[in-house]
Amino acid sequence: MSVAGFVSTFTGTALSSRTRCDSSALSPAKTSKRMHMSISKREARRSIIKSDNFNRSGFKESREEAKGLMNREFTSDLVKELLAHSNIVSRGKVTVKLAKAYGFCWGVERAIAIAYEARAKFPDRRIWITNEIIHNPIVNQRMKEIGIYSVPQEGLQKDLSGIEQGDVVVLPAFGATLEEMKYINDLGVEIVDTTCPWVSKVWHALDRHQKKECTSIIHGKWKHEETIATASFAEKYLVVLNMDEAEYVANYILNGGDKAEFLAKFENAKSEGFDPDTDLNAVGVANQTTMLKSETTAVAKLFEKVMLRKFGPTDLNSHFVAYDTICNATQERQDAMYDLLAEKESLDLMLVVGGFNSSNTSHLQEIAEHAGVPSFWVDRPERVGPGNRIYCRSASGEERLVEDWLPEREITVGLTSGASTPDNVVEDVLERVFMISKLAEAKVLA
Ligand code: SF4
């Protein structure tokens, strides 16, 4: 794998000289604007976005074609039937109750549509994408089929060296790091940015933290593409995964502690040179858009309380800032799960459909698990069957094969799908569930 163009996707402590992009070595002709290294990350991002080769809104001339393709490929008659019948349908012994908010969110639909528009606009050009466009295996396979290829990746490092002048590069819905954006922009290739505006909203929140000289505390998963991109735009940051980690940091702010232990604990989740003794005097809270909303709120409240206790009410504004950056789609899908589970006695089990690496889907599964309802998370139809078995994942990431998972009596199945899951995948999963039930009934009757 080439070293030039070999880009760390995580810009925290990992930007060693080996991984730093050396775009000058690769790009003899540069048509895009060069950035001065001393400018702020916010200015650097803005400068790239304003480049002539940077497209953020797709291509009007190929919009209808893209819309037609998406309608053909990702919709479902069965889901339409559910919607026409107050989100409930029955087949044989199985009744399905669909959550009020589920499936493709606006940001995901927009990202896929822009990618399709780019394909139609540049039929003869090579098109790359810097990551999976969204976290759904079936959609990502479709991208490959239409000739939009992910750049090679090994662990968290990407090899961008195959991108050449004349190529088109799509940035996925979770965004790309500043490092990647700089590198690609310096190549002067066409950039088609599908970053969800909700993700950009988080980046704007980080800009505001920096303006107030606050360290950004990002509630998220440090390995997740969106958080990797978000962190790359912060001058100083710390990523906390959950309340346990947030409480550990809060305790350090109030009482101090073992600095070496702190640095080891957040080894991959902090900005370069982070010093907990000096960099936690003023903090701003932001989040990965797909985290559990109640947890993000609790994390923000915790740090507000801590800063209040340490600095008092008069100085609070100089030491703490938070903006609500959980996206609407995430919130609506989580709220719809709580609504569905409010009548959990009427449900025999939950089916959650979404990519195994989808953060928002994992939180839907988590809500079902906390409610104590047997819940089965699958990413594709092939996980269901053959026979009465299912290969599924838990919110904590454990994957297992479950035998005899579908009761053979009359049952009601709660259903939801993650924000990156097309309806046709949900339909294909349900058809397999109906088939298992039907076969069981036929066996009894035989
Ligand atoms: S889940 Fe939210 S942030 Fe993510 S793509 Fe959808 S709308 Fe955008």
Side-chain angles (χ1 to χ4, degrees), residues 113-133:
I114 293 177
Y116 275 129
E117 287 168 22
R119 181 70 282 174
K121 167 82 180 172
F122 304 107
D124 305 321
R125 307 262 288 266
R126 195 160 60 151
I127 304 187
W128 297 98
I129 186 155
T130 57
N131 217 318
E132 295 184 330
I133 189 156

Side-chain angles (χ1 to χ4, degrees), residues 94-127:
V94 181
T95 296
V96 176
K97 270 191 188 176
L98 175 65
K100 290 276 184 273
Y102 65 93
F104 265 3
C105 61
W106 170 81
V108 159
E109 276 191 359
R110 176 181 173 277
I112 300 171
I114 293 177
Y116 275 129
E117 287 168 22
R119 181 70 282 174
K121 167 82 180 172
F122 304 107
D124 305 321
R125 307 262 288 266
R126 195 160 60 151
I127 304 187

Side-chain angles (χ1 to χ4, degrees), residues 31-56 178 181-182 184-186 191 204 207 233:
T31 56
S32 58
K33 292 175 187 168
R34 284 202 155 278
M35 284 156 302
H36 193 273
M37 287 315 284
S38 67
I39 67 176
S40 75
K41 291 185 170 185
R42 173 174 170 270
E43 287 162 340
R45 187 175 81 240
R46 288 190 157 204
S47 164
I48 294 168
I49 287 170
K50 283 186 192 152
S51 300
D52 294 340
N53 53 326
F54 199 96
N55 176 304
R56 300 172 78 195
L178 180 58
M181 285 170 74
K182 278 179 183 172
I184 296 162
N185 195 48
D186 278 352
I191 302 174
H204 295 315
D207 292 343
F233 297 109

Side-chain angles (χ1 to χ4, degrees), residues 105-108 134 173 196-199 226 289-290 327-330 360 419:
C105 61
W106 170 81
V108 159
I134 58 168
C196 177
W198 280 99
V199 175
E226 182 190 316
T289 53
T290 49
C327 88
N328 274 356
T330 298
N360 80 85

